[in-house]
Amino acid sequence: MTAPGGAEQGSTGTADARHLFRGRTAVITGASSGIGAGFARHAAALGMRLVPTDVAADRLAALAEELAAGGAEVEPVPADVTDPAAVEAVAVRADERFGGADMLVNNAGIMAMGYSWEIPAETWDAALRINVGGTANGLRAFVPRMLDRGTRAWIVDVSSVGGLLPAPLMAPYSATKFAVLALTESLKYELDMRGAPIQVSVVTPGSVKSDIFRAASGAAGAAPEAERFGALLHERAENSGLTAEEHARRVFDQVAEGRYWVVPQPEQLDPGLQPRTDMILERAEPRLPFEI
Ligand SMILES: NC(=O)c1ccc[n+]([C@@H]2O[C@H](COP(=O)([O-])OP(=O)(O)OC[C@H]3O[C@@H](n4cnc5c(N)ncnc54)[C@H](O)[C@@H]3O)[C@@H](O)[C@H]2O)c1
């Protein structure tokens, strides 16, 4: 079966990703840490030209230096994804340096832990503005340029297993990752309506080694249960999560296969999906499927 974007489903491995993406330009948000840094390193290894961006300018400069030392063509642009003008400036730099972006990876995101009614308004606001607003700002800056160029392009939005299976003590995260799934699906319908040669993919990572859980549960005033759950998630990622590099390899391979649903760890998503679907169809009450 031929997927939108033209790739044969189920036919590939990293060699195909290299063949498809070499020489193309990727913009990656939240690129200076964890999953985003893994994406940037893997994209460089595939021979892509890179416009990594992040709000953490020092870490971004260090990553760009590392990638350039390895022979990659890199144009780092510090930007806060919540600022539409800053994201637009990233697109302008990608145009100037590389003639435009072929791929946008909307990866920047934060997690916040606590009881939904105790999480401060500013934290709720930050999660909505970064996880959802940041993704929308990326689309607003890059999709019109991709449509104008009319060449093959890729939009890759990073949601989460938590974007399909809500969890307690992380409501801003679950809510915003659900929103990323919904807005990505809307985008897919819209680009299909326009017959655009832009492949849309949504990534649902499971547990991947990064600092996201520790940063989320370290917030002052968080309930002890939230601290405990955050520590547990962090420990699980450290002990049995994927490295960001292996995660990136799986994601780029699946994107190269033309997949909309990019599921790097199906074993962490699939067992929860059917019970959740059954629960809704049976109009049953949600019940916590594990203890905290
Ligand atoms: N690590 C996991 O297990 C996991 C699982 C599912 C989904 N995810 C998703 O993967 C993405 C990356 O997470 P991670 O685990 O690598 O976390 P991380 O904290 O290591 O990296 C997130 C990056 O985003 C950047 N960022 C934060 N706010 C920003 C802003 N306003 N503008 C620009 N950049 C900003 C940070 O500086 C950081 O470099 C997130 O969207 C996260 O929700 C992670």
Side-chain angles (χ1 to χ4, degrees):
M1 173 188 160
T2 301
E8 292 293 316
Q9 289 261 8
S11 65
T12 63
T14 297
D16 303 86
R18 185 171 295 116
H19 178 72
L20 186 58
F21 295 132
R22 186 177 23 216
R24 301 196 199 250
T25 300
V27 173
I28 300 168
T29 72
S32 81
S33 166
I35 286 181
F39 284 151
R41 292 189 176 108
H42 188 71
L46 294 175
M48 296 189 83
R49 304 188 295 186
L50 286 165
V51 184
T53 172
D54 203 293
V55 74
D58 290 353
R59 276 204 320 251
L60 183 69
L63 175 88
E65 214 169 287
E66 172 201 317
L67 297 176
E73 285 184 77
V74 191
E75 181 75 15
V77 189
D80 182 334
V81 293
T82 66
D83 177 356
V87 179
E88 174 68 19
V90 176
V92 169
R93 288 278 284 283
D95 287 347
E96 288 167 355
R97 171 81 190 265
F98 295 127
D102 303 299
M103 177 186 285
L104 168 67
V105 184
N106 279 313
N107 165 74
I110 61 164
M111 182 180 258
M113 303 208 58
Y115 285 107
S116 45
W117 59 91
E118 288 181 356
I119 289 170
E122 313 81 70
T123 308
W124 268 103
D125 191 46
L128 289 161
R129 291 180 63 210
I130 296 170
N131 298 3
V132 187
T135 304
N137 286 337
L139 301 182
R140 293 170 59 257
F142 286 91
V143 172
R145 288 176 160 84
M146 289 174 171
L147 288 170
D148 282 350
R149 285 169 84 205
T151 52
R152 196 167 174 192
W154 291 261
I155 301 279
V156 180
D157 289 345
V158 178
S159 176
S160 169
V161 163
L164 282 155
L165 308 174
L169 300 171
M170 46 163 74
Y173 192 72
S174 293
T176 54
K177 291 299 173 175
F178 261 68
V180 170
L181 269 183
L183 76 83
T184 306
E185 217 165 305
S186 296
L187 173 76
K188 164 79 175 131
Y189 298 136
E190 291 164 1
L191 290 174
D192 281 355
M193 285 165 60
R194 295 283 292 267
I198 304 175
Q199 180 185 310
V200 179
S201 299
V202 71
V203 188
T204 59
S207 205
V208 181
K209 294 183 204 315
S210 83
D211 265 348
I212 196 168
F213 308 107
R214 203 158 31 198
S217 56
E225 300 88 302
E227 295 267 357
R228 244 190 351 260
F229 193 34
L232 198 107
L233 292 174
H234 180 73
E235 218 177 279
R236 190 176 69 152
E238 286 305 305
N239 294 339
S240 57
L242 290 182
T243 62
E245 285 73 16
E246 172 59 16
H247 177 264
R249 189 188 64 74
R250 294 183 187 189
V251 168
F252 274 81
D253 282 358
Q254 291 184 30
V255 171
E257 288 171 3
R259 293 184 190 276
Y260 174 82
W261 295 103
V262 173
V263 183
Q265 295 136 288
E267 70 285 359
Q268 293 187 13
L269 176 65
D270 295 352
L273 267 185
Q274 192 63 53
R276 176 167 167 72
T277 307
D278 291 345
M279 172 193 77
I280 296 167
L281 290 172
E282 290 162 12
R283 316 288 187 256
E285 269 185 42
R287 295 262 181 227
L288 193 58
F290 50 84
E291 279 189 29
I292 294 173

